[in-house]
Amino acid sequence: MYDIVSMNVFELTRLLVDYSQPSYRAKQLFKWLQSGIKTFDEMSNIPISLRNSLEKDCYIARADIFKCYRSQIDETVKYLFRLYDGEFIESVLMKYQHGYTVCISTQVGCNMGCKFCASGLYGKTRDLTASEMLAQITAIQADNNIRVSNIVMMGMGEPLENYDNTERFLKLVSDEDGLNIGLRHISLSTCGFVSGIEKLSLLNLPITLSVSLHAPFDDIRNSIMPINKKWNIKTLMDACQKYQKITTRRISFEYALISGVNDTRECAKELARITKGIMCHINLIPANPVSENSFVKPDKNKINKFKDLLISYGLTVTVRRTLGADIDASCGQLRKRIRKETDGANIQQS
Ligand code: SAH
């Protein structure tokens, strides 16, 4: 069975040759497939015979809403989606002044093993296809009757470990015959998967690269992010510098502040030193508590001190606002809870 929603117009054109169909149908098909339809029957301007043939040979990837939690504090909505094989992924809808942003997952689980993160607790089950990344967005649009304007690839998974599907997704989602979400409105977050950063830089896309740095010294970073043992901070920063040179886009460094781990004056000073010469923005995130570890965020005073120190070194800094605090909106927390509730048992769709 072909994963037809992951196909671009060129690939659809090739597929249509097998059905002796004119090539102009490829674009018609593409528009339907990218719009979030669930069945071939909905394709009103496609001949029924072709719809039937496609149905036999292809599937339309979907993400079915299994649970949905609406925040009472803000308009954040957290989704737990169930995929065709019963796996669960999470996405979040956030409302900002400039429009709707969806945070999508790129893998089921994650292999990166960051010590503070809930997504990596059980490792990675599998990669998501480009169509499953898209399905998260189209399902959320339909559920809220809205158009999403921004995407952050900051949900579960490491997008650059799933490089080919991620690249395919970026091209599909920004296609003007598809969802047409501008690449400038897309952020891709990586734990520092250097080979992927290098590959991505060659595409020279105007997306925002977000790098989860979280520590400026190798010993600290090694202890909280295993990826640092493969690509250390120097290697990562060199890759970021090269990325910046090619794309001329400002890089965003994510820094989750963890009390007693990475919130010292020395850390602030070193963070300023290693980012020197890179046009960047530092996004401080007060660490979210995860029950399986003992990490806690510093108090407000300490966070502000760290921020002010960075500013005094000339850096541009923001502290991330917490959205959806009442609904476990952060990365991996919901899937973890569902796994616990069901204890791995097979769950029937609600
Ligand atoms: N694998 C990618 C994207 C997914 S994680 C990456 O590592 O960037 C999205 C962001 O949430 C990352 O910056 C990650 O480090 C951060 N994060 C994960 N768990 C967190 C926690 N408990 N508190 C604060 N930030 C966390």
Side-chain angles (χ1 to χ4, degrees):
M1 293 285 261
Y2 292 113
D3 171 14
I4 195 168
V5 181
S6 289
M7 289 187 184
N8 59 34
V9 175
F10 177 74
E11 289 158 341
L12 289 171
T13 310
R14 238 177 18 199
L15 180 75
L16 285 172
V17 173
D18 297 344
Y19 302 109
S20 316
Q21 287 286 329
S23 57
Y24 71 84
R25 292 249 179 255
K27 206 172 221 180
Q28 291 179 328
L29 264 183
F30 183 79
K31 285 184 181 170
W32 282 115
L33 293 166
Q34 296 295 307
S35 71
I37 52 155
K38 291 191 168 163
T39 62
F40 290 100
D41 278 346
E42 292 166 62
M43 300 176 161
S44 52
N45 60 353
I46 303 289
I48 294 185
S49 58
L50 176 59
R51 286 188 235 162
N52 289 340
S53 308
L54 291 172
E55 185 149 20
K56 264 195 236 122
D57 302 336
C58 309
Y59 69 92
I60 296 177
R62 44 198 284 185
D64 294 324
I65 299 172
F66 185 78
K67 281 204 169 148
C68 156
Y69 302 84
R70 289 179 189 269
S71 169
Q72 302 301 310
I73 306 171
D74 45 59
E75 286 184 66
T76 304
V77 192
K78 177 108 199 191
Y79 287 91
L80 188 69
F81 287 113
R82 192 173 191 266
L83 305 175
Y84 75 94
D85 55 356
E87 291 295 340
F88 293 102
I89 51 166
E90 300 177 22
S91 324
V92 187
L93 170 67
M94 293 163 285
K95 184 159 188 216
Y96 291 104
Q97 264 167 355
H98 56 263
Y100 288 100
T101 298
V102 169
C103 174
I104 61 160
S105 291
T106 55
Q107 296 178 320
V108 179
C110 184
N111 259 346
M112 298 298 108
C114 299
K115 296 285 189 289
F116 45 82
C117 180
S119 292
L121 285 171
Y122 312 102
K124 180 184 86 173
T125 308
R126 68 172 175 88
D127 287 330
L128 294 189
T129 58
S131 53
E132 287 171 325
M133 297 183 206
L134 282 162
Q136 297 169 59
I137 303 166
T138 48
I140 289 177
Q141 289 198 148
D143 190 43
N144 296 276
N145 200 16
I146 52 161
R147 257 189 64 79
V148 167
S149 55
N150 294 61
I151 301 166
V152 293
M153 303 177 82
M154 286 191 187
M156 206 183 282
E158 169 50 46
L160 296 182
E161 199 209 26
N162 184 12
Y163 185 86
D164 291 344
N165 291 323
T166 292
E167 180 181 330
R168 184 172 277 276
F169 164 76
L170 289 171
K171 289 178 176 161
L172 291 174
V173 78
S174 58
D175 194 298
E176 56 185 30
D177 291 314
L179 291 181
N180 194 17
I181 298 179
L183 290 166
R184 282 172 199 282
H185 295 162
I186 303 177
S187 292
L188 183 151
S189 186
T190 175
C191 64
F193 206 89
V194 168
S195 60
I197 297 176
E198 287 170 349
K199 262 197 208 165
L200 192 66
S201 68
L202 300 177
L203 295 181
N204 194 7
L205 302 175
I207 59 168
T208 298
L209 181 68
S210 209
V211 176
S212 302
L213 191 55
H214 303 326
F217 293 109
D218 278 323
D219 56 346
I220 304 177
R221 200 162 191 269
N222 282 342
S223 71
I224 54 175
M225 300 180 74
I227 192 78
N228 199 64
K229 293 178 188 155
K230 181 157 185 174
W231 290 295
N232 66 15
I233 293 175
K234 170 89 174 60
T235 312
L236 173 59
M237 298 317 275
D238 284 351
C240 290
Q241 193 132 34
K242 272 193 215 140
Y243 184 91
Q244 163 110 93
K245 226 183 193 157
I246 294 174
T247 64
T248 70
R249 298 280 298 166
R250 185 162 80 155
I251 290 178
S252 175
F253 289 108
E254 309 293 306
Y255 197 100
L257 279 164
I258 309 170
S259 181
V261 175
N262 61 1
D263 59 346
T264 60
R265 295 181 71 87
E266 292 73 36
C267 283
K269 195 171 173 192
E270 184 66 3
L271 181 56
R273 194 189 69 77
I274 63 171
T275 51
K276 222 182 184 135
I278 302 179
M279 188 177 55
C280 67
H281 168 256
I282 311 284
N283 196 10
L284 297 177
I285 316 163
N288 275 308
V290 176
S291 54
E292 281 75 1
N293 66 49
S294 52
F295 295 135
V296 287
K297 64 182 175 200
D299 60 43
K300 248 201 174 124
N301 202 5
K302 192 109 200 227
I303 293 173
N304 282 331
K305 266 200 184 140
F306 196 87
K307 176 183 159 203
D308 291 342
L309 256 177
L310 293 179
I311 291 172
S312 76
Y313 292 128
L315 287 164
T316 314
V317 191
T318 47
V319 179
R320 187 182 289 172
R321 200 156 54 98
T322 309
L323 287 178
D326 55 334
I327 52 166
D328 263 359
S330 52
C331 189
Q333 309 242 12
L334 202 58
R335 177 167 170 267
K336 184 188 83 183
R337 205 169 72 207
I338 291 292
R339 278 185 73 112
K340 281 213 166 130
E341 278 170 17
T342 58
D343 204 22
N346 234 349
I347 309 172
Q348 293 303 311
Q349 195 179 330
S350 63

